[in-house]
Amino acid sequence: MSFWHTLADLLLPRHCAVCDAELCASEHALCNVCLCGLQQVPWTDMADNPLLRSLWNRHDVEAAGSSFFYNPATDVHHLFILLKYRQRPHVGLHLARHAFSRLSALGLARGAEYIVPVPLSRQRRWRRGYNQAEWIARGISQATGIPVCTEVLERIRNNPTQTHRTARQRMENTRGIFAVAPESPDLNGKTLLLVDDICTTGATLSDCVRALRQGFPTARIHIYTLGWAGGL
Ligand SMILES: [Zn+2]
């Protein structure tokens, strides 16, 4: 940690997003106690796990992984509220940078050449001021050195809220909402790591995979989400 960071901490102390304890220079967003207390998903197989099985086009995906088990009663839920609705995107960056090293060791990033965040609609991005998936992607990029490419996918229509919909309704609701952006580089033959904040039913990710497969038939696709809200 640089002298200037230490000085900044003295002048403007930073606090843990969960317990509000003052952070030391080596801690970011969360204190180490809270970070270690977050429930991780238990699976270690990147080629066969609940996240991968939630995708209707799973045969197009080589590997998938997630870090934290999302449950409304846990601190992970609180962190996602900060990340998505309280203007704290750096929470996603630091969490992803810390958590992804485990999945990287399990091979999720092996061979990946570009990180592709799931895009928000222009309207939602404008209202929020940032795309939380992009900040998670930046955290992974800092941990791995793999560049983030934000021009690959675009949301071509806005889907109504997914809340209170069944898995089947969510799937139908999200079909055809993503497409490869006209300005995207040609990613045929490349290995892509598609990144989103949380996976609930796999509907959004399935549609992104469909769009990527359509635009780049020979690309290899890996998937990472910071949170997993399905069953264990
Ligand atoms: Zn804490």
Side-chain angles (χ1 to χ4, degrees):
M1 190 56 54
S2 74
F3 166 78
W4 294 111
H5 279 105
T6 310
L7 183 65
D9 280 356
L10 283 173
L11 297 173
L12 277 174
R14 301 167 302 124
H15 294 267
C16 172
V18 173
C19 72
D20 206 35
E22 208 170 291
L23 297 179
C24 68
S26 63
E27 294 172 329
H28 301 281
L30 268 77
C31 72
N32 286 332
V33 174
C34 290
L35 194 56
C36 293
L38 299 178
Q39 188 181 359
Q40 297 203 4
V41 297
W43 67 73
T44 54
D45 187 346
M46 299 298 107
D48 182 23
N49 55 54
L51 169 57
L52 201 52
R53 289 195 289 271
S54 75
L55 307 173
W56 55 262
N57 44 9
R58 65 185 74 89
H59 52 274
D60 279 328
V61 179
E62 285 187 1
S66 193
S67 289
F68 300 109
F69 180 59
Y70 176 91
N71 178 311
T74 63
D75 289 337
V76 176
H77 171 73
H78 172 65
L79 292 170
F80 273 90
I81 296 287
L82 295 177
L83 170 63
K84 287 179 82 162
Y85 306 113
R86 302 277 163 81
Q87 299 292 307
R88 302 276 297 273
H90 68 279
V91 168
L93 182 147
H94 293 306
L95 271 180
R97 189 174 60 191
H98 168 80
F100 193 80
S101 54
R102 172 177 172 263
L103 295 175
S104 197
L106 293 169
L108 187 58
R110 195 170 295 139
E113 290 156 288
Y114 293 99
I115 302 172
V116 178
V118 171
L120 290 179
S121 67
R122 281 177 206 281
Q123 194 185 20
R124 199 165 289 172
R125 191 194 165 105
W126 182 81
R127 234 184 293 136
R128 190 170 294 166
Y130 60 91
N131 174 6
Q132 68 276 5
E134 210 174 300
W135 279 73
I136 292 167
R138 282 191 217 168
I140 299 167
S141 181
Q142 288 183 7
T144 60
I146 304 166
V148 179
C149 198
T150 55
E151 306 87 43
V152 178
L153 287 173
E154 63 177 0
R155 201 178 274 250
I156 52 176
R157 68 180 173 84
N158 214 355
N159 58 318
T161 176
Q162 297 279 56
T163 315
H164 307 307
R165 288 173 189 266
T166 64
R168 186 172 189 83
Q169 284 170 333
R170 282 175 183 234
M171 198 180 82
E172 282 159 8
N173 192 26
T174 50
R175 202 183 280 272
I177 70 169
F178 295 98
V180 167
E183 64 271 29
S184 172
D186 180 8
L187 298 177
N188 270 306
K190 306 288 185 194
T191 300
L192 314 176
L193 179 64
L194 178 65
V195 169
D196 205 3
D197 54 352
I198 191 161
C199 179
T200 305
T201 63
T204 300
L205 288 166
S206 292
D207 197 57
C208 287
V209 169
R210 178 203 54 75
L212 288 172
R213 179 55 66 230
Q214 209 167 12
F216 312 115
T218 62
R220 288 181 296 279
I221 303 170
H222 297 188
I223 290 179
Y224 172 73
T225 66
L226 190 61
W228 162 249
L232 291 177

